[in-house]
């Protein structure tokens, strides 16, 4: 029996040029983003300018984490204590956490079998709660029909905030994910598409929102030293009315991000090559169902999701366990207890009474998720997919003969 023995959490090393640049920053001693010489543009400001260009957004702000990016974006977009914020129920813990941190309350919206936001439930919940904000996570890289989302937001006067933690570099009909709402958030935490250990990015085309975000991030009155900030007069109206929440990125992390950004599109091609190998093998496996993606979506295959269906749900733990024994690490969103990153909405008890979301629970009950690190070769991806397919077929067979 084939076994696999590489780590599912091992990322690639930081490119040599990034290591070199990081050492130069360390030797300079000027790690704080505002600790610059006259006329010097620090690494953080340069990264902001370069990311704004990559994203095709006017303004860009680098912060300490994706979760901080969400909090700052919510505040900068106008969310106040007591407000309701619509959010798809299939997301990662930093999303409800950010809504909670700004004193607002999430209104969780159902997802469908395809892991996308259920448009009917979104409309219904927007109507019944009067919520004026939607924090949309493009969870695990799945992009909803963005025309429909934007049309609904326009119709109901909802401000859209995009969580692009899994869609950095992805597109919907040729437009980059993150350019559909009022503001977008990205993460550069180790498991995302750029790796600085921790880090986050905010982009927007709205000058006032950008100015508020920059002051919120802890700019003191040094906002002129930013790389992709609005003109100085955008700050005049807000600078004395906006708190400093200290969440700045530093030059060390910006230095390694700059080098990785140059190669991001190439990395996306490498991810997708690997993703397609796994997907094609699993598409033809008994017991497994692949959800076909919209042709309008250009995704980044840094992880894969599929439904296991050829056998009863109570056999899924055995299936996961048998894959694990052969070295293949799958996450199952149907588990009763949250494991590592696999949090489900019913594990966020601090939110108070949780809504009933039967569609979401049904979709997640058969959902498996697997990371596809770039340290896997194409051959590795074939091996991993073979193991999953064999174990699923084995469960399906013993279920049918039981
Ligand atoms: C990773 C992630 C974030 C941000 O996480 P940080 O760890 O704070 O950078 C936000 N949303 C989703 C869906 C994520 O996966």
């Amino acid at each position: 029996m084939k076994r696999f023995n590489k780590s599912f959490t091992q990322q690639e090393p930081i490119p040599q040029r990034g290591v070199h640049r990081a050492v130069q920053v360390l030797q300079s001693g000027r790690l704080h983003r505002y600790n610059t010489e006259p006329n010097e543009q620090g690494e953080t400001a340069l990264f902001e300018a370069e990311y704004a260009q990559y994203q095709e957004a006017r303004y860009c702000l680098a912060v300490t984490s994706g979760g901080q990016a969400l909090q700052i974006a919510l505040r900068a977009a106008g969310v106040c204590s007591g407000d309701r914020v619509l959010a798809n129920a299939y997301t990662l813990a930093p999303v409800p956490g950010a809504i909670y941190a700004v004193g607002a309350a999430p209104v969780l919206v159902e997802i469908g079998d395809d892991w996308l936001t259920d448009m009917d439930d979104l409309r219904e919940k927007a109507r019944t709660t009067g919520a004026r904000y939607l924090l949309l996570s493009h969870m695990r890289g799945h992009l909803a029909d963005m025309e429909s989302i934007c049309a609904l937001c326009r119709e109901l006067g909802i401000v859209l905030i995009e969580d692009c933690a899994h869609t950095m570099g992805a597109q919907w009909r040729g437009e980059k994910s993150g350019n559909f709402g009022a503001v977008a958030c990205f993460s550069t935490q180790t498991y995302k598409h750029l790796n600085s250990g921790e880090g986050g990015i905010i982009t927007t085309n709205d000058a006032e929102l950008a100015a508020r975000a920059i002051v919120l991030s802890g700019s003191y009155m040094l906002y002129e030293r930013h790389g992709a900030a609005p003109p100085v007069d955008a700050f005049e109206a807000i600078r004395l009315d906006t708190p400093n929440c200290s969440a700045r990125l530093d030059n060390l992390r910006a230095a390694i991000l700059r080098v990785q950004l140059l190669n991001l599109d190439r990395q996306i091609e490498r991810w997708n090559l690997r993703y397609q190998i796994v997907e094609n093998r699993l598409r033809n496996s008994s017991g497994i169902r692949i959800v076909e993606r919209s042709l309008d979506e250009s995704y980044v295959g840094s992880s894969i999701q599929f439904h296991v269906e050829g056998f009863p749900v109570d056999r899924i733990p055995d299936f996961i366990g048998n894959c694990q024994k052969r070295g293949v690490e799958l996450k199952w969103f149907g588990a009763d207890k949250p494991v590592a990153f696999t949090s489900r909405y019913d594990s966020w008890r601090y939110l108070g009474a949780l809504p009933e979301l039967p569609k979401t629970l049904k979709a997640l009950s058969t959902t498996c998720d697997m990371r596809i690190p770039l340290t896997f070769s194409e051959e590795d991806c074939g091996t991993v997919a073979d193991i999953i397919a064999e174990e699923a077929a084995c469960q399906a067979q013993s279920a049918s003969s039981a």
Side-chain angles (χ1 to χ4, degrees):
M1 260 201 320
K2 263 191 219 170
R3 266 193 62 87
F4 186 67
N5 49 27
K6 283 195 186 169
S7 163
F8 280 73
T9 52
Q10 180 62 55
Q11 307 295 51
E12 293 187 296
I14 302 302
Q16 247 332 299
R17 275 194 305 153
V19 173
H20 181 66
R21 196 61 206 121
V23 169
Q24 288 179 326
V25 172
L26 288 171
Q27 285 168 338
S28 80
R30 294 193 299 277
L31 276 71
H32 192 286
R33 68 168 296 162
Y34 301 126
N35 187 200
T36 47
E37 306 215 332
N39 302 321
E40 183 195 11
Q41 281 241 297
E43 293 290 324
T44 312
L46 289 166
F47 174 65
E48 287 168 338
E50 289 157 5
Y51 194 80
Q53 191 172 29
Y54 176 82
Q55 180 63 28
E56 295 159 14
R58 216 169 288 153
Y59 311 118
C60 175
L61 168 68
V63 295
T64 44
S65 73
Q68 281 296 327
L70 292 170
Q71 283 186 43
I72 290 171
L74 287 165
R75 285 207 172 92
V79 174
C80 293
S81 172
D83 280 346
R84 310 272 221 131
V85 178
L86 297 154
N88 43 316
Y90 179 41
T91 185
L92 201 75
V95 171
I99 297 171
Y100 181 82
V102 303
V107 176
L108 298 177
V109 177
E110 294 262 38
I111 60 156
D113 181 65
D114 52 6
W115 306 293
L116 300 175
T117 300
D118 180 311
M119 295 302 289
D120 294 334
D121 195 49
L122 177 59
R123 175 181 288 280
E124 173 65 17
K125 296 237 164 86
R127 207 178 52 73
T128 53
T129 64
R132 286 188 42 247
Y133 299 92
L134 167 61
L135 175 45
L136 183 69
S137 302
H138 305 302
M139 184 61 174
R140 297 322 256 152
H142 296 275
L143 284 172
D145 174 344
M146 293 310 294
E147 275 84 22
S148 304
I149 295 270
C150 292
L152 187 73
C153 288
R154 265 195 309 274
E155 182 194 328
L156 300 177
I158 290 172
V159 178
L160 174 63
I161 298 148
E162 292 182 74
D163 172 9
C164 305
H166 304 157
T167 53
M168 178 185 279
Q171 298 178 10
W172 176 264
R173 290 201 183 161
E175 181 68 65
K176 284 229 168 78
S177 162
N179 294 347
F180 293 90
V183 55
C185 301
F186 302 83
S187 168
T188 63
Q189 184 234 78
T190 292
Y191 303 107
K192 311 299 163 87
H193 301 167
L194 297 177
N195 173 12
S196 59
E198 302 284 357
I201 304 168
I202 295 171
T203 59
T204 180
N205 288 329
D206 179 328
E208 194 187 316
L209 196 158
R212 273 203 297 268
I214 288 170
V215 176
L216 281 162
S217 79
S219 64
Y220 305 103
M221 293 297 160
L222 300 171
Y223 42 77
E224 288 180 63
R225 295 195 207 168
H226 275 249
V232 172
D233 55 348
F235 291 87
E236 286 303 323
I238 58 98
R239 59 183 212 150
L240 303 181
D241 300 299
T242 308
N244 172 328
C245 299
S246 270
R248 295 170 299 274
L249 193 72
D250 56 85
N251 289 335
L252 185 57
R253 287 186 282 169
I256 61 177
L257 288 171
R258 289 184 67 204
V259 171
Q260 291 172 61
L261 181 59
L262 294 173
N263 210 24
L264 179 56
D265 284 335
R266 171 76 193 109
Q267 297 293 73
I268 291 173
E269 285 172 20
R270 294 177 62 218
W271 259 309
N272 288 350
L273 184 63
R274 287 159 177 74
Y275 178 96
Q276 277 145 20
I277 291 170
V278 177
E279 188 185 62
N280 286 335
R281 175 72 180 90
L282 295 185
R283 188 180 278 118
N284 302 312
S285 310
S286 66
I288 287 176
R289 180 166 56 89
I290 294 289
V291 178
E292 298 303 331
R293 290 173 175 263
S294 164
L295 294 176
D296 290 322
E297 185 188 10
S298 308
Y299 57 88
V300 182
S302 52
S303 71
I304 187 165
Q305 291 67 46
F306 54 87
H307 288 289
V308 277
E309 289 188 336
F311 43 91
V313 169
D314 60 12
R315 283 179 180 263
I316 295 179
D318 274 351
F319 162 67
I320 304 280
N322 291 341
C323 288
Q324 179 79 55
K325 279 183 206 148
R326 297 175 66 184
V328 174
E329 233 176 82
L330 297 180
K331 299 275 155 64
W332 175 41
F333 282 91
D336 286 337
K337 294 208 177 61
V339 182
F341 288 98
T342 334
S343 62
R344 204 172 59 185
Y345 79 87
D346 48 3
S347 54
W348 305 324
R349 216 160 51 188
Y350 62 88
L351 295 177
L354 289 164
E356 304 229 332
L357 297 169
K359 271 192 173 175
T360 302
L361 288 182
K362 180 164 187 297
L364 295 184
S365 71
T366 54
T367 296
C368 286
D369 178 286
M370 188 182 81
R371 281 202 186 112
I372 306 181
L374 289 176
T375 46
F376 289 5
S377 66
E378 291 158 49
E379 195 191 337
D380 291 337
C381 292
T383 304
V384 163
D386 281 345
I387 291 174
I388 297 171
E390 284 166 22
E391 291 302 328
C394 175
Q395 289 294 336
Q397 203 169 30
S398 60
S400 71
S401 63

